[in-house]
Amino acid sequence: MDAFLCSHNGNPILNSPFFNSKTELTHLTSRTPAGCYSIRSLSIFSSMRLRSSKSVFGSNETLLNSTQIKKHDRVECNAANVSDHLVQANVIEEEATQSSEISPSFKVSAGQGFPLGVSETERGINFALFSQHASVVTLCLSISERKTLGEVDAEVVELPLDPSVNKTGDVWHICVEDLPRHSVLYGYRLDGPREWQQGHRFDSSIVLIDPYAKQVEGRRYFGDAGNKMSKFLGTYDFTSLPFDWGDNYLQPSIPEKDLVIYEMNVRAFTADESSGLDPDIRGSYLGVIEKIPHLLGLGINAVELLPVFEFDELELQRHPNPRDHMINTWGYSTINFFAPMSRYASAGVGPVAAQREFKQMVKALHASGIEVILDVVYNHTNEADDVIPYTTSFRGIDNKVYYMLDVNGQYLNFSGCGNTLNCNHPVVMELILDSLRHWVIEYHVDGFRFDLASVLCRGTDGSPLNAPPLIKAIAKDDILSKCKIIAEPWDCGGLYLVGSFPNWDRWAEWNGKYRDDVRRFIKGDSGMKGNFATRVAGSADLYKVNKRKPYHSVNFIIAHDGFTLHDLVSYNVKHNDANGEGGNDGCNDNFSWNCGYEGDTADTNIEALRSRQMKNFHLALMISQGTPMMLMGDEYGHTRYGNNNSYGHDTAINNFQWGQLDARKNSQFRFFAEIIKLRHKHAVFGHDNFLEKNDITWHEDNWYNFESRFLAFTLHDGKGEDIYLAFNAHDYFVKAILPSPPQKRRWLRVVDTNLASPDDFVPEGVPGIGALYDVAAFSSILLVAKPQV
């Protein structure tokens, strides 16, 4: 989980696309019972005269007909000013009677309650929205003609829904004839009970995004500071031809035991000028396609993409705060669970093209034998808390349903982000399942990694569940059960479930104990040898239960949050001053070691030690039983200069440095790629089942020596091509007594991390290995038994 979100704030005011958002809150005339046009009073198929206004969408200013708007003093949305909202509502109601009826006219019908979201029917465009507690729902439409990339000439139409006609159960619905089949922006205004202590947060001044919108329109360029107050609305397109996946298209369908996962950020991968790409596709889905040869050269076969659901990268800049200089580049702040991040498309093309380009990326990765796993955030949303909320959707549609609340109607915060999605409520659970299925069916993704998945194991009151319905439903679903499903098995409320995550023998887990134990052993902590052996052997202590397998342990040493691999061996403490939080953000327990000097140094001995340590970590990761995951950039030694929580930097701190890769192509990159290819070549590193006595020999009679930091073992492949490994975390040489190789075989040295490139990895192996081998301080070796010549 990402520590930056622990103090996440938003702006409660500046959300509607139909009002001035710079300094004052300007309301479109609100629909109230006294001022609305009742659909019930009209024939279902008769022309309906609607209030409308002209607006400019996409700029900071929203221009409205002066007879329809009235400026009000800024009102903060918190419990202390509920009475202010009630007074404001009276003013708005008075305005409603003054509004004029303006064409265009639409024919409307009651519509249907299924499916939720927008759908095309024989009668027209159907809109369906769930809200159990709303008393007033108004559909807002903007039929826009984009004149330039920054301006839309929009006619805003509001259609109030009559609950006696346009409501079935808790679903509000309406069908509108004669609407264009694409390029219509839409959202909803809702009103209802205003009692915050009962959990309601209705505010009819805000136009809200449909939770089931498949496309979201907002600003067109990532990090465009000139449009930082841009609003976000749903849109749709029923005119585009289906995406052509190709006649010979197949998904890779790689067995879990054979996966090597590369965690990466779509934007950061190619955003830097050093990528050499055209500026229009840097940081985009198309940019990833251009760099597939790098992924193939490295040898990974699955990418785990940091969040690609629509999010507002400039949310930290919507109001003055210590972090308002930053841009959210990680994306753990979801606005909508169905729409791909539109600003990860090529420059300025918008949400429809974003869908197509995302599919192009998936298709190209699949054609190269690389699976696509999405990092998904269903534990919270961007809407923050009651201090300075950023209301865009769920909070204003039905706060009491979508979020976990205490008995006083206040947010429970197990995500560390101000709110917690009410995941096991039947309605929210179905939303999540629908979202996941959508990404599998529409976008052909291969799996999901669930951020703070322990939240998904909590009941509606926040208490832990032994058999959480959502977790079971994902494991048993006809579509999702065929996907890779990976849990981050903890949350910010202390529910730590590593090794005990409810799994139905299907769920894999990020193994946080693997990360910590391997870090501590390699850096030389006492008493860690037994733990290290357990982790590299597949963590049977955690996962050998029922029908679980070693590959259900997703092994990692480095992930997006925390130190990079370079920084893990270069810093003893975090250096997060640039984040603006006084160094209070980010994890304090990094189990890192700077190898004798904090940060950059010209000392060649320290640099050599750091290089060895990075190779030691990578070797340990790739020879361990389980599913290995590495972080983008570690293959060349990317540094964030000690920042272990770099969520808000759209700079070289996060961006892949292709020039540095080129400089280290024949050294660190070569070693990392060769080790990955070695893993693919030898099945002994990826057993289907946990190791048995005949699978491994531990060359160890010193298990209980607290000060012992040396471990050696042999993996047996049953065919004579055994592999011997030794890891020395002492600060002195250890003379290792080698076991006899299998009959008619001899040991060849393939890896010695103490040697410089290219001798650190010799694919064909180096002969001449005797009965003893001097394993250098803080180094590791790998020998392969080959036939005698």
Side-chain angles (χ1 to χ4, degrees), residues 28 61 63 145-146 232 239 243 247 319 331 336 355 364 377 386 395 407 439 509 564 615 686 699 756-757 781 784:
L28 259 179
E61 301 290 339
L63 308 179
E145 178 184 350
R146 182 170 290 278
F232 296 86
T239 61
F243 182 78
D247 294 336
H319 63 94
N336 173 277
Q355 289 184 312
V377 188
D386 285 334
R395 174 183 168 93
V407 294
W439 287 95
E509 302 175 18
T564 65
K615 290 188 285 187
H699 307 298
S757 182
I781 64 170
V784 178

Side-chain angles (χ1 to χ4, degrees), residues 584-629:
N584 294 317
D585 64 309
C587 182
N588 293 318
D589 300 320
N590 297 290
F591 302 121
S592 61
W593 176 42
N594 66 17
C595 295
Y597 187 86
E598 190 75 357
D600 290 342
T601 178
D603 189 313
T604 56
N605 291 326
I606 292 177
E607 285 295 287
L609 175 55
R610 289 174 177 176
S611 177
R612 290 205 303 277
Q613 288 290 74
M614 285 191 280
K615 290 188 285 187
N616 293 335
F617 278 121
H618 186 64
L619 178 64
L621 177 64
M622 291 301 160
I623 60 87
S624 295
Q625 304 299 314
T627 302
M629 183 191 78

Side-chain angles (χ1 to χ4, degrees), residues 418-445:
N419 65 65
T420 308
L421 209 63
N422 199 7
C423 300
N424 284 295
H425 185 286
V427 170
V428 184
M429 175 175 155
E430 195 58 36
L431 170 79
I432 294 172
L433 292 171
D434 286 344
S435 166
L436 292 168
R437 295 185 196 111
H438 177 69
W439 287 95
V440 174
I441 295 170
E442 184 71 18
Y443 295 102
H444 293 197
V445 302

Side-chain angles (χ1 to χ4, degrees), residues 284-305:
S284 72
Y285 304 125
L286 298 184
V288 173
I289 296 174
E290 294 295 318
K291 296 299 184 180
I292 288 177
H294 168 71
L295 301 176
L296 293 175
L298 181 59
I300 60 91
N301 57 16
V303 291
E304 183 174 300
L305 304 180

Side-chain angles (χ1 to χ4, degrees), residues 257-296:
K257 72 180 184 65
D258 296 330
L259 286 179
V260 177
I261 300 173
Y262 185 78
E263 192 193 29
M264 61 175 286
N265 179 289
V266 167
R267 175 167 173 79
F269 192 46
T270 64
D272 196 81
E273 184 178 0
S274 64
S275 68
L277 301 182
D278 185 287
D280 282 348
I281 66 168
R282 290 179 198 158
S284 72
Y285 304 125
L286 298 184
V288 173
I289 296 174
E290 294 295 318
K291 296 299 184 180
I292 288 177
H294 168 71
L295 301 176
L296 293 175

Side-chain angles (χ1 to χ4, degrees), residues 535-552:
R535 299 298 157 239
V536 298
S539 296
D541 61 326
L542 301 174
Y543 300 109
K544 193 175 182 180
V545 59
N546 299 328
K547 296 180 181 179
R548 302 197 85 181
K549 303 293 183 180
Y551 52 74
H552 287 133

Side-chain angles (χ1 to χ4, degrees), residues 225-243:
N227 285 295
K228 68 173 62 177
M229 306 310 294
S230 289
K231 316 308 179 299
F232 296 86
L233 285 179
T235 186
Y236 59 82
D237 174 33
F238 296 113
T239 61
S240 296
L241 293 174
F243 182 78

